[in-house]
């Protein structure tokens, strides 16, 4: 084994040595020409040149080769007797010995410089990797982001294929379809072992030879905390010694990485993120299913109330009919609240996907008014829709629902008999749908808060009911259509104007012109 | 109504819903059959003569849309679907499968009765071959292609007339965008809703007394259009949750 390593070493150095020999040969030719042509005295000092070049470019071995060759060439070509390695003048022998000494010192210095440069460069790369890694950790949103960052960082540092498994379940679920594909089955099985029953007590890792012949190293990322997961590294087809060497490097890198991770509080961050997303999911699921369950009996209550309110038996029973109307109206209000909860959970759980189509803004405004007709029956409604409004490319149902929320708010915070003005206009490539009331208006503080989820005006908390979801929902529905809502109020008691702004695009109206009068 | 009492089949798995529908319909002179599952509904529809079916979408044994499809495969009986909100695409799908109309849960009895009457009237017109459709001040004679508003003859372009004709053939019921586009502009334009929007605007200018708050050619957002059915409904303004206007 020892000889094979040596042989390998020689093979590595050989190209540099050949180049050095070439350099010395060229220099000798040049010097030879100069001595004979220009009558120069011998120039052994010039042989320092290849020594320095070899030392900086290739290393100490080549530098020594250059020095020895330089001495031999000087002795052979330039010192009498010429064309023999013998030297007669003791002065010149001294010169050559001095030369060898200088050459060795110079080459030592040069290689040292080179090594320092390389370490500096390597350190810079490491630092940049580490920096990128810590930045990714800082912006990581959830557990999987953090794990991906660890995985990439290790892959860069190790220069090997690295797969990180968050848990035994992750490895179980991923049977072969993980990032970069093919993690062999035997490796997966071993990962599950290491992750679940922690058989790897001394934490030096387990190796598995896959069918492909590649050797995989499997170990927990950190001996102290299972939060970081289990890592599988493809070591390739290294010999036993090679893989041992690799293992030592993996140890070093993982020790580094876990130290960084611990310092950055990743373990804490991971468990916190996991917990947060779980409670969030639980809450949304609860809201969703409870609202759904509530709606079913509500449909029966509302339906039965409408049947009763029109029943001939109650035709002359004014008081009873009033009660039935109360049941109907309250059930309707409850239904609106439940619908808001459902919309809110839809927005925050899977997001709202708009069904975009060409829509007439007048249609949207009219159908929103139609839906609120009962609720707005004691307000004066003024509608101002120009005949030449451009079409808009939106989800008309979502925009209508946003408008309904705004109408609801306008009714809630204004007196009966006051006016609500609805207008639409196109300006600078935007469609603006505005709803102005003569109601309670907004204070400066309220203006900044009304778009928050569960925002409720403190001035009205005692007098009006509501969940504080309405405007938050309206805002989300308009945002998915590429628009925004502005609230403008001169101040408390001076009314509020809500303006929905939506983008207008030019519809291509071409093949429609073949329509002549009958 | 002088004809024998219309028979309606109510398909819903919630007994409370069936109960109030039965009471509501019976008070308005209908005969009611009930079914709690899709299989029962299909059996019931094959065994007895039925004038109208009301189907809830969430049934325990099969999807409501499957009931619509199965019944439609042999019968032209009007079908009204009970659906939930936020599912415009599903409504369109159901209408394409052959449902005549839909009502969104929760709903009032008056709203459902209005839809039911429209569907029954359309069925009767189809059977009798009556060529004129009257919506408030507007009259469309499908035989002579004459359209009049308050007795005055209107001039429509061929495409405008075709649009109105398709809507009139389904007067009172929703007609989907896709269906209208296919019938008026042809199959390759089924996604060009902006054609439809522009022509509906032009048509409203001619047939609506107040084009900026249309009462005759009504928009069903995200689904299609409907011609508000004749008589009291059109005047009433189709107030979705308005209390019942007792007609019995």
């Amino acid at each position: 084994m020892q000889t094979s390593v040596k042989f390998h070493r020689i093979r590595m150095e050989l190209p540099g040595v050949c180049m050095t020999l070439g350099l010395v040969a060229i220099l000798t030719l040049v010097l030879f020409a100069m001595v004979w042509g220009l009558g120069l005295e011998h120039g052994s000092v010039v042989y320092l040149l290849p020594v320095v070049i070899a030392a900086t470019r290739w290393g100490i071995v080549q530098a020594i080769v250059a020095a020895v060759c330089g001495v031999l060439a000087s002795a052979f070509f330039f010192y009498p007797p010429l064309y023999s390695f013998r030297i007669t003048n003791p002065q010149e022998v001294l010169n050559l010995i001095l030369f060898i000494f200088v050459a060795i010192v110079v080459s030592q210095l040069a290689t040292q410089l080179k090594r320092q440069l390389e370490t500096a460069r390597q350190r810079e790369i490491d630092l940049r990797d580490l920096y990128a890694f810590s930045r990714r950790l800082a912006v990581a949103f959830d557990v999987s982001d953090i794990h991906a960052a660890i995985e990439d960082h290790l892959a860069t540092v190790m220069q090997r294929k690295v797969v990180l498994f968050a848990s035994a379940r992750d490895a179980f679920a991923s049977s072969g379809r993980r990032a970069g594909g093919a993690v062999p089955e035997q490796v997966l099985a071993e990962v599950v072992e290491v992750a679940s029953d922690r058989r790897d007590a001394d934490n030096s890792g387990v190796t598995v030879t896959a069918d492909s012949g590649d050797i995989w190293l499997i170990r927990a990322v950190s001996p102290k905390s299972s939060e970081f997961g289990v890592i599988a590294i493809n070591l390739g087809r290294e010999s036993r010694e090679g893989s041992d060497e690799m293992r030592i490097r993996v140890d070093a890198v993982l020790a580094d990485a876990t130290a960084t991770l611990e310092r950055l509080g990743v373990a804490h961050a991971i468990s916190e993120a996991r917990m947060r997303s779980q409670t969030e999911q639980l809450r949304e699921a609860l809201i969703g299913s409870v609202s759904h369950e509530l709606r079913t009996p509500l449909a029966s209550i509302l339906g039965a109330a409408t049947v009763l309110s029109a029943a001939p038996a109650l035709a002359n029973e004014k008081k009873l009919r009033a009660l039935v109307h109360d049941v109907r109206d309250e059930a309707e209000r409850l239904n609106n609240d439940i619908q808001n909860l459902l919309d809110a959970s839809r927005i925050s759980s899977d997001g709202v996907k708009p069904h975009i189509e060409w829509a007439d803004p007048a249609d949207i405004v009219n159908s929103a008014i139609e839906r609120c007709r009962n609720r707005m029956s004691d307000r004066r409604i003024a509608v101002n829709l120009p005949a030449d409004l451009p079409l808009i490319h939106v989800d008309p149902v979502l925009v209508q629902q946003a408008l309904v929320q705004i109408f609801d708010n306008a009714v809630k915070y204004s007196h009966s008999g006051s006016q609500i003005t609805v207008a639409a206009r196109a300006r600078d490539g935007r469609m603006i749908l505005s709803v102005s009331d003569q109601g309670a208006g907004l204070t400066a503080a309220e203006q900044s808060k009304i778009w928050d989820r569960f925002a409720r005006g403190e001035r009205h908390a005692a007098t009006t009911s509501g969940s504080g979801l309405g405007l938050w929902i309206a805002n989300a529905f308009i945002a998915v259509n590429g628009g925004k809502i502005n609230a403008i109020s001169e101040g408390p008691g001076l009314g509020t104007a809500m303006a929905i702004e939506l983008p207008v695009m030019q519809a291509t109206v071409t093949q429609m012109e073949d329509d002549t009068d009958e | 109504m002088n004809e024998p009492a219309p028979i309606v089949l109510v398909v819903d798995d919630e007994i409370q819903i069936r109960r109030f529908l039965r009471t509501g319909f019976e008070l308005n002179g209908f005969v009611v059959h009930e079914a709690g599952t899709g299989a029962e509904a299909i059996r019931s529809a094959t065994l007895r003569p039925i004038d109208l079916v009301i189907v809830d979408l969430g049934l325990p044994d099969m999807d409501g849309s499957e009931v619509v499809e199965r019944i439609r495969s042999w019968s032209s009986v009007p079908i009204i679907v009970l659906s939930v909100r936020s599912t415009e695409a599903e409504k369109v799908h159901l209408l394409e499968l052959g449902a005549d109309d839909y009502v969104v849960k929760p709903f009032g009895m008056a709203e459902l009765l209005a839809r039911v009457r429209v569907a029954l009237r359309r069925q009767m017109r189809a059977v009798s071959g009556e060529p004129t459709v009257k919506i408030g001040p507007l009259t469309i004679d499908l035989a002579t292609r004459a359209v009049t508003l308050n007795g005055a003859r209107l001039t429509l372009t061929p495409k405008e007339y075709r649009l109105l004709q398709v809507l009139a053939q389904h007067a009172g019921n929703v007609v989907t965008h896709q269906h209208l586009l296919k019938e008026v502009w042809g199959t390759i334009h089924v996604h060009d809703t902006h054609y439809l929007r522009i022509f509906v605007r032009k048509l409203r200018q001619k047939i609506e007394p107040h084009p900026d708050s249309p009462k005759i050619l009504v928009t069903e957002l995200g689904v299609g259009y409907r011609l508000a059915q004749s008589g009291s409904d059109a005047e009433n303004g189709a107030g979705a949750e308005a209390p019942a206007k007792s007609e019995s």
Side-chain angles (χ1 to χ4, degrees):
Chain A
M1 282 301 167
Q2 206 62 16
T3 46
S4 93
V5 171
K6 256 185 194 160
F7 184 68
H8 180 67
R9 182 84 194 265
I10 291 169
R11 267 236 307 258
M12 283 218 341
E13 302 286 5
L14 207 59
V17 173
C18 291
M19 302 277 261
T20 312
L21 289 176
L23 240 122
V24 175
I26 292 166
L27 193 72
T28 309
L29 274 177
V30 172
L31 273 179
F32 200 70
M34 281 166 101
V35 168
W36 290 111
L38 305 172
L40 267 182
E41 285 288 307
H42 46 70
S44 60
V45 183
V46 184
Y47 281 104
L48 276 179
L49 219 62
V51 173
V52 175
I53 292 175
T56 48
R57 288 205 64 125
W58 300 296
I60 190 86
V61 177
Q62 286 80 356
I64 290 168
V65 168
V68 171
C69 292
V71 169
L72 291 178
S74 304
F76 194 77
F77 291 106
F78 305 114
Y79 292 109
L82 294 182
Y83 315 121
S84 132
F85 290 113
R86 262 189 325 114
I87 302 165
T88 44
N89 193 339
Q91 177 67 39
E92 283 161 357
V93 173
L94 195 68
N95 270 353
L96 280 182
I97 290 167
L98 214 65
F99 168 78
I100 286 187
F101 178 72
V102 171
I104 286 170
V105 170
V106 164
S107 61
Q108 281 281 9
L109 286 175
T111 42
Q112 233 173 54
L113 203 70
K114 185 191 164 208
R115 205 175 301 137
Q116 272 171 9
L117 200 74
E118 265 167 10
T119 15
R121 195 174 298 148
Q122 188 54 44
R123 213 168 277 161
E124 196 196 318
I125 291 169
D126 286 353
L127 214 65
R128 206 185 303 141
D129 282 348
L130 204 63
Y131 179 63
F133 175 51
S134 65
R135 271 182 51 144
R136 275 186 66 178
L137 284 182
V139 299
F141 245 120
D142 54 20
V143 188
S144 63
D145 282 355
I146 296 173
H147 279 148
I150 296 176
E151 195 178 80
D152 287 353
H153 176 61
L154 289 177
T156 323
V157 177
M158 295 294 304
Q159 300 290 324
R160 281 287 188 281
K161 185 173 162 50
V162 174
V163 185
L164 196 148
F165 298 91
S167 63
R169 209 168 36 151
D170 187 22
F172 230 37
S174 69
S175 293
R177 54 153 182 80
R178 258 192 82 96
V183 175
E185 287 299 328
Q186 307 101 300
V187 176
L188 278 178
E190 198 57 42
V191 167
V192 173
E193 288 290 299
V194 172
S196 52
D197 84 78
R198 312 197 54 72
R199 66 150 75 170
D200 182 25
D202 60 341
N203 201 47
S204 58
V206 184
T207 48
V208 174
T209 312
D211 286 341
S212 58
D214 287 354
I215 295 168
W216 289 73
L217 173 65
I218 296 143
R219 51 166 289 181
V221 172
S222 159
K224 279 177 265 172
S225 168
S226 62
E227 293 284 7
F228 299 142
V230 173
I231 200 150
I233 302 164
N234 186 353
L235 300 178
R237 290 152 199 257
E238 293 282 343
S239 62
R240 220 184 142 72
E241 285 66 33
S243 86
D244 278 346
E245 199 178 300
M246 200 64 100
R247 243 177 196 207
I248 292 163
R249 273 184 58 202
V250 170
D251 274 349
V253 166
L254 282 185
D256 259 10
T258 41
T260 317
L261 291 175
E262 275 155 17
R263 198 177 62 245
L264 291 170
V266 171
H268 184 63
I270 288 175
S271 52
E272 192 156 285
R274 194 173 283 159
M275 204 143 84
R276 203 169 40 226
S277 77
Q278 270 171 4
T279 42
E280 191 79 1
Q281 271 170 12
L282 191 69
R283 200 180 64 176
E284 296 303 343
L286 205 66
I287 289 177
S289 68
V290 165
S291 317
H292 198 80
E293 287 307 309
L294 286 175
R295 223 153 61 142
T296 317
L298 206 58
S300 314
I301 295 173
L302 198 64
T306 60
V307 172
L308 275 179
S309 72
L314 287 180
N316 296 318
E317 301 275 354
K318 266 216 164 102
K319 284 180 183 166
L320 291 183
R321 270 173 53 136
L323 282 183
V324 173
H325 283 167
D326 281 351
V327 172
R328 188 195 63 197
D329 295 347
E330 292 299 290
E332 223 157 77
R333 211 182 70 180
L334 200 55
N335 178 52
N336 282 335
D337 289 347
I338 291 172
Q339 188 61 56
N340 278 354
L341 282 177
L342 279 173
D343 283 343
S345 81
R346 187 158 66 111
I347 290 167
S348 41
S349 62
D350 45 36
V352 181
K353 288 161 205 78
H355 297 279
I356 305 277
E357 59 178 43
W358 288 106
D360 190 335
D363 280 348
I364 298 176
V365 170
N366 280 325
S367 83
I369 294 175
E370 200 54 60
R371 277 201 35 197
C372 299
R373 190 166 291 287
N374 276 359
R375 280 169 264 176
M376 301 200 295
S377 55
D378 55 355
R379 303 289 189 283
R380 283 175 291 128
I381 312 292
V383 186
N384 179 11
L385 300 171
D388 57 345
L389 285 175
L391 297 180
I392 47 179
H393 206 221
V394 294
D395 182 330
V397 179
L398 289 181
V399 176
Q400 180 230 37
Q401 284 167 8
L403 263 179
V404 166
Q405 297 287 3
I406 291 172
F407 285 153
D408 262 358
N409 250 54
V411 171
K412 210 181 271 178
Y413 298 108
S414 66
H415 301 290
S416 97
S418 64
Q419 177 166 312
I420 295 175
T421 310
V422 190
R425 62 179 193 281
R427 205 182 58 191
D428 307 332
R430 316 281 293 171
M431 168 66 58
I432 296 161
L433 308 175
S434 63
V435 179
S436 325
D437 63 42
Q438 300 173 322
L442 295 168
T443 62
E446 283 167 350
Q447 265 189 43
S448 61
K449 271 196 225 144
I450 53 170
W451 305 113
D452 295 348
R453 193 174 181 177
F454 304 121
R456 296 272 291 119
E458 276 153 33
R459 290 188 293 146
H460 315 289
T463 49
T464 54
S465 66
S467 57
L469 281 173
L471 289 181
W472 181 76
I473 292 170
N475 201 29
F477 282 178
I478 293 302
V480 296
N481 282 294
K484 59 175 182 189
I485 313 181
N486 291 316
I488 304 140
S489 177
E490 299 290 321
L494 298 174
T496 310
M498 294 274 183
I500 299 178
E501 253 189 70
L502 291 162
V504 172
M505 282 192 290
Q506 215 56 53
T508 44
V509 186
T510 46
Q511 302 107 323
M512 278 172 35
E513 314 306 333
D514 58 338
D515 188 38
T516 45
D517 278 0
E518 214 170 323
Chain B
M1 290 181 193
N2 298 325
E3 290 99 39
I7 302 165
V8 50
L9 173 64
V10 174
V11 189
D12 197 309
D13 59 322
E14 297 273 327
I15 185 152
Q16 291 85 351
I17 302 254
R18 292 210 302 270
R19 193 180 294 150
F20 94 73
L21 286 178
R22 170 181 282 278
T23 315
F25 276 122
E26 283 176 354
L27 281 173
N28 284 280
F30 288 78
V31 172
V32 180
H33 295 323
E34 292 179 26
T37 63
E40 211 181 310
I42 289 162
R43 202 166 48 239
S44 192
T46 49
L47 290 180
R48 288 179 278 194
I50 278 169
D51 295 310
L52 186 121
V53 183
I54 290 175
V55 189
D56 184 73
L57 275 190
L59 293 172
D61 58 336
M62 63 176 85
D63 200 60
S65 62
E66 201 184 327
V67 178
V68 173
E69 216 176 350
R70 300 264 292 268
I71 293 181
R72 195 44 90 235
S73 66
W74 86 84
S75 166
S76 65
V77 62
I79 302 175
I80 293 177
V81 172
L82 307 180
S83 79
V84 289
R85 213 196 70 175
S86 326
T87 51
E88 269 65 28
E90 193 180 53
K91 289 171 196 158
V92 170
H93 176 63
L94 283 163
L95 293 170
E96 278 165 358
L97 284 179
D100 291 75
D101 215 328
Y102 60 83
V103 177
V104 176
K105 267 182 168 180
F107 55 88
M109 198 63 212
E111 192 189 350
L112 180 62
L113 277 173
R115 295 268 187 275
V116 166
R117 294 211 167 95
V118 161
L120 287 175
R121 209 171 301 161
R122 186 168 97 81
Q123 186 73 358
M124 250 151 58
R125 197 175 53 243
V127 172
S128 68
E130 169 67 49
T132 56
V133 178
K134 217 174 130 36
I135 302 112
L138 184 78
T139 311
I140 305 151
D141 191 325
L142 295 170
T144 63
R145 299 164 74 90
V147 181
T148 56
L149 184 66
N150 292 318
R153 173 111 190 215
L154 296 178
T155 317
L156 301 180
T157 67
K159 285 219 160 63
E160 284 166 1
Y161 177 74
R162 181 82 184 113
L163 188 60
L164 192 59
Q165 184 190 26
V166 178
L167 286 164
Q169 281 159 356
H170 299 83
N173 293 146
V174 193
V175 185
T176 63
H177 297 141
Q178 283 78 356
H179 186 75
L180 285 169
L181 283 161
K182 203 170 73 193
E183 291 292 316
V184 181
W185 282 275
T187 337
I188 58 162
H189 291 296
V190 284
H191 298 296
D192 297 334
T193 21
H194 56 288
Y195 289 17
L196 196 54
R197 302 284 179 226
I198 289 164
F199 269 79
V200 165
R201 251 192 212 178
K202 286 187 189 166
L203 194 54
R204 277 174 176 161
Q205 294 293 334
K206 295 183 181 175
I207 65 169
E208 292 274 358
H210 305 286
D212 48 354
S213 61
K215 295 279 180 279
I216 294 173
L217 205 177
V218 185
T219 305
E220 294 288 336
L221 277 192
V223 179
Y225 293 96
R226 80 165 82 227
L227 278 192
Q229 186 51 303
S230 52
S232 55
D233 293 354
E235 252 97 280
N236 209 3
E241 292 146 354
K245 207 176 168 217
S246 196
E247 281 181 38
S248 59

